[in-house]
């Protein structure tokens, strides 16, 4: 292992530990130390014997400019206070600076060193963004808003840096290539996963606000549709799609059938403003995209269209419905717990609920069971069972979220002790070792 | 260590982590935290599988003997800590997986 490798690995481990151990204080200190970490990576990238790749170069230029503006603001406004320093970030910056002056480094490493350093920076940005979200949420909930006008713009800028670094370090697998046989399943699941991940992170916050309840309900509903998309068991999806084109097509065709369920679910969950027409349009559009994929093989444009259709048509309908439900939930939570932190969010939700209802000609919400009884939409008998289950899942998920929100707002004991578990090495957990076939050299 | 060997090592570690996370994602309880950790582990497992080349036989990786999701998630994080140097450059998307697993380990503390 070269000295540079060792230093970058140390820096990465420091940031990972910091991500696991972070709290409000260390997060705010990380904001103060962030420009120093960015500067260290900029020095390392510019000290490379060969020119950095264009993506790396442009990413670092933008992230560097953002970090400089943060540093200027810190000096001007005094937030975070000048004494705040995150030791892990400082240690990582020192190691990266040391790596930049390492003369034993190979002359041409094909940009590996630069990308590794960008990975470290991405983890740092991710830590700050998630930590700041919690910090800000906590401040809102406890009406301690004196730092908010400084903290929110700082978080926004780190968030932007995180997005830029994300694109550079975690590119889509098909970026720059024409096709991939993993595209459709991956992108569909990713669209769903991003909602889930956002909601999960929101829930980590010690005091979920009403708007987070809505976001989580939305994400859980999306997850229910994910189950319909056969994305529930990744190993099963992989088995169905690996290597064999026939099986891949069968899997996609099976997924197409599930779209029918999805359309019904969208219809069920869609607001009255969108109505039948919107659900059917969404279904038709999705079916066309999927048909194209089945006919012509995975194609990034078709897949993109499909993912956008989910986002724009289905998700927006779910959002309206859940916004209305969320307003009711927040109102109930506020009344039950009497938490003043909920008041502003509840009022905002109620306003939006009223606006939606005023815009809508048909105010009544769609009851899926009523739909089934009235048969206002032709639903094949085989779809009725899944629809009932999906409906039950959504209701159960919403209930869980509401329960969590209520629990989160009740004054409780001090944070629970971590569950004690005997530590074992991962190799021991995996049992007797068997070789994994290595990848083909041409992949 | 040449890039090919590093790549194989990275693949082996990611496959192991995917297996551990998949095991952690199996439904075990009805408490919110059980569902919460299981769904987080399922997403991370799915993310890990996406990173692997198609011809890697993940099911050849032995099923983990442990059943406690917290222990399994922590083991996955430890395993990912052993990634070879330059792994983020070798496997695009890996940094995102590592960040998600770190977040999951943090979530375990609330359990």
């Amino acid at each position: 292992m070269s000295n540079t490798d060792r230093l970058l690995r140390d820096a990465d481990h420091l940031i990972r530990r910091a991500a696991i151990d972070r709290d409000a204080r260390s997060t705010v200190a990380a904001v103060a130390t962030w420009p120093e970490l960015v500067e260290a990576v900029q020095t390392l990238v510019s000290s490379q014997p060969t020119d950095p790749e264009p993506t790396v170069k442009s990413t670092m230029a933008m992230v560097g400019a953002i970090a400089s503006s943060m540093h200027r603001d810190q000096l001007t406004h005094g937030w975070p206070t000048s004494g705040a320093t995150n030791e892990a970030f400082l240690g990582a910056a020192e190691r990266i600076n040391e790596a930049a002056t390492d003369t034993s480094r190979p002359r041409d490493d094909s940009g590996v060193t630069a990308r590794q350093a960008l990975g470290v920076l991405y983890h740092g940005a991710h830590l700050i963004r998630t930590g700041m979200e919690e910090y800000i949420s906590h401040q809102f909930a406890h009406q301690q808003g004196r730092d908010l006008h400084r903290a929110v713009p700082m978080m926004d800028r780190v968030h932007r840096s995180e997005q830029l670094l994300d694109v550079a370090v975690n590119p889509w697998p098909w970026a720059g290539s024409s096709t991939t046989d993993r595209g459709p399943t991956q992108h569909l699941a990713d669209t769903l996963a991003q909602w889930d991940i956002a909601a999960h992170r929101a829930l980590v916050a010690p005091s979920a606000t009403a708007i987070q309840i809505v976001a989580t309900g939305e994400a859980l509903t999306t997850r229910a549709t994910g189950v319909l998309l056969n994305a529930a068991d990744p190993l099963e999806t992989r088995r169905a799609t690996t290597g064999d084109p026939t099986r891949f097509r069968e899997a996609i065709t099976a997924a197409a059938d599930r779209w029918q369920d999805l359309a019904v679910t969208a219809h069920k969950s869609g607001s009255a403003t969108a109505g039948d027409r919107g659900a059917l349009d969404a279904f038709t559009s999705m079916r066309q995209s999927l048909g194209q994929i089945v006919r012509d093989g995975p194609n990034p444009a078709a897949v993109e269209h499909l993912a956008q259709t989910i986002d724009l048509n289905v998700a927006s309908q779910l959002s309206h419905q859940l916004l209305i439900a969320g307003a009711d939930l927040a109102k109930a939570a506020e009344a039950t717990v009497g938490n003043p932190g909920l008041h502003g969010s509840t009022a905002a939700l109620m306003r939006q609920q009223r606006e939606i209802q005023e815009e809508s000609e048909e105010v009544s919400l769609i009851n899926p069971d009523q739909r089934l009884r009235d048969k206002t939409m032709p639903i094949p008998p085989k779809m009725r069972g899944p629809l009932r289950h999906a409906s039950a899942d959504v209701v159960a998920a919403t209930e869980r979220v509401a329960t969590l929100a209520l629990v989160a707002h009740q004054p409780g004991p001090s944070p629970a002790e971590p569950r004690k578990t005997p530590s074992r090495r991962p190799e021991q957990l995996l049992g007797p070792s068997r070789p994994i076939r290595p990848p083909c050299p041409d992949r | 260590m040449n890039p090919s060997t590093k790549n194989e090592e990275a693949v082996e570690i990611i496959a192991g982590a995917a297996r551990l996370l998949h095991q952690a994602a199996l439904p075990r309880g009805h408490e919110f935290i059980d569902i919460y950790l299981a769904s987080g582990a399922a997403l991370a497992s799915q993310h890990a599988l996406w990173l692997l080349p198609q011809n890697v036989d993940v099911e050849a990786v032995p099923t983990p003997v442990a059943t406690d999701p917290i222990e399994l998630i922590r083991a996955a994080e430890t395993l990912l800590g052993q990634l070879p140097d330059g792994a983020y450059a070798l496997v695009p998307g890996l940094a995102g997986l590592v960040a998600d697993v770190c977040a999951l380990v943090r979530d375990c503390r609330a359990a």
Side-chain angles (χ1 to χ4, degrees):
Chain A
M1 187 193 294
S2 79
N3 198 30
T4 302
D5 289 339
R6 183 181 58 77
L7 289 164
L8 286 178
R9 170 180 280 224
D10 283 357
D12 191 37
H13 281 202
L14 277 171
I15 301 287
R16 285 192 204 187
R17 285 296 112 199
I20 293 170
D21 298 333
R22 73 173 160 77
D23 56 20
R25 195 174 180 177
S26 67
T27 302
V28 172
V31 175
T33 323
W34 170 249
E36 206 156 331
L37 186 61
V38 172
E39 194 182 342
V41 175
Q42 276 184 308
T43 310
L44 177 72
V45 170
S46 60
S47 72
Q48 293 285 92
T50 49
D51 250 5
E53 293 168 46
T55 319
V56 172
K57 201 173 177 177
S58 61
T59 302
M60 278 319 299
M62 289 186 277
V63 171
I66 295 170
S68 300
S69 75
M70 288 171 66
H71 184 56
R72 274 197 304 277
D73 274 9
Q74 190 199 354
L75 294 178
T76 312
H77 304 300
W79 192 93
T81 48
S82 56
T85 338
N86 184 304
E87 291 302 322
F89 274 51
L90 211 54
E94 279 169 11
R95 280 159 181 78
I96 293 169
N97 274 325
E98 200 180 325
T101 56
D102 176 22
T103 48
S104 64
R105 191 164 17 132
R107 283 201 62 77
D108 181 16
D109 65 359
S110 308
V112 168
T113 301
R115 284 198 177 273
Q116 191 72 4
L118 252 63
V120 177
L121 211 49
Y122 166 75
H123 285 150
H126 185 77
L127 178 161
I128 295 178
R129 197 259 303 163
T130 49
M132 286 298 285
E133 278 177 357
E134 268 185 44
Y135 177 77
I136 289 165
S137 163
H138 185 265
Q139 297 250 317
F140 264 125
H142 293 85
Q143 296 186 312
Q144 299 168 335
R146 68 176 189 279
D147 288 343
L148 286 178
H149 64 297
R150 305 271 181 250
V152 171
M154 286 287 196
M155 185 194 72
D156 287 345
R157 280 183 271 184
V158 176
H159 193 182
R160 178 73 187 129
S161 304
E162 184 197 0
Q163 289 169 332
L164 290 165
L165 290 161
D166 195 9
V167 172
V169 184
N170 302 312
W172 293 110
W174 59 73
S177 64
S178 56
T179 59
T180 169
D181 57 357
R182 290 199 291 168
T185 331
Q186 174 165 347
H187 201 166
L188 288 173
D190 199 70
T191 306
L192 300 167
Q194 286 191 0
W195 286 53
D196 265 350
I197 289 168
H200 289 164
R201 289 194 176 137
L203 279 174
V204 177
S207 51
T209 61
I211 200 74
Q212 287 169 335
I213 299 172
V214 179
T216 309
E218 206 167 46
L220 288 168
T221 310
T222 313
R223 185 151 188 78
T225 61
V227 173
L228 296 175
L229 287 174
N230 201 20
D233 184 346
L235 274 182
E236 190 184 320
T237 309
R238 190 180 170 87
R239 261 199 301 274
T241 57
T242 301
D244 182 345
T246 312
R247 292 184 71 193
F248 175 73
R249 277 174 191 237
E250 282 170 6
I252 292 291
T253 310
D257 288 342
R258 286 167 190 269
W259 281 109
Q260 181 96 18
D261 293 356
L262 180 62
V264 175
T265 309
H267 178 78
K268 171 200 74 180
S269 306
S271 69
T273 49
D276 296 4
R277 180 81 198 169
L280 286 173
D281 284 351
F283 171 65
T284 309
S285 180
M286 286 186 281
R287 187 87 192 187
Q288 280 170 351
S289 302
L290 207 54
Q292 192 186 342
I293 291 168
V294 172
R295 274 195 313 277
D296 309 335
N299 169 302
V303 171
E304 188 61 43
H305 181 248
L306 195 56
Q308 280 178 4
T309 312
I310 297 175
D311 271 349
L312 298 178
N313 290 330
V314 180
S316 66
Q317 290 178 39
L318 295 175
S319 302
H320 270 199
Q321 182 80 1
L322 279 152
L323 181 65
I324 292 169
D328 292 339
L329 265 178
K331 200 175 163 190
E334 189 187 34
T336 312
V337 188
N339 188 304
L342 276 172
H343 185 72
S345 308
T346 307
L349 285 168
M350 296 301 288
R351 267 199 308 278
Q352 291 184 54
Q353 183 189 26
R354 270 198 305 276
E355 281 167 16
I356 289 175
Q357 290 178 342
E358 280 165 11
E359 283 170 12
S360 168
E361 290 177 6
E362 300 171 333
V363 178
S364 62
L365 301 180
I366 297 167
N367 179 332
D369 291 329
Q370 189 66 40
R371 278 282 181 199
L372 287 174
R373 275 199 298 275
D374 294 350
K375 297 183 181 173
T376 50
M377 180 179 174
I379 301 172
K382 67 171 183 172
M383 297 298 167
R384 292 180 194 181
L387 175 57
R388 283 204 183 88
H389 287 302
S391 172
D393 283 348
V394 172
V395 171
T398 310
E399 277 173 2
R400 277 200 299 276
V401 173
T403 308
L404 177 87
L406 292 173
V407 170
H409 284 286
Q410 276 169 352
S414 57
E417 285 288 316
R419 192 185 290 179
K420 296 279 188 297
T421 47
S423 62
R424 275 192 267 176
R425 290 171 59 80
E427 296 84 351
Q428 292 174 305
L429 296 177
L430 279 172
S433 174
R434 283 165 58 191
I436 300 171
R437 278 190 276 128
C440 282
D442 61 346
R443 287 190 66 88
Chain B
M1 195 188 288
N2 64 41
S4 162
T5 316
K6 276 187 181 180
N7 201 15
E8 283 172 26
E9 195 183 332
V11 162
E12 194 166 332
I13 286 173
I14 296 166
R19 229 0 178 166
L20 287 164
L21 291 164
H22 187 259
Q23 186 78 357
L26 298 178
R28 289 196 176 82
H30 299 289
E31 295 296 318
F32 181 83
I33 192 68
D34 297 324
I35 297 162
Y36 172 66
L37 284 181
S39 59
L43 288 167
S45 161
Q46 199 159 6
H47 189 154
L49 289 168
W50 294 338
L51 299 181
L52 293 169
Q54 283 287 305
N55 57 349
V56 173
D57 186 3
V58 181
E59 290 173 86
V61 181
T63 305
V65 291
T67 53
D68 179 13
I70 294 179
E71 194 179 357
L72 288 160
I73 289 167
R74 285 187 175 147
E77 195 271 330
T78 310
L79 196 58
L80 289 171
Q82 297 166 13
L83 282 163
D85 311 314
Y88 298 151
L90 292 168
V91 187
L94 182 55
L97 171 68
V98 170
D100 287 342
V101 174
C102 283
L104 262 178
V105 172
R106 192 169 179 277
D107 295 347
C108 289
R109 296 188 172 178

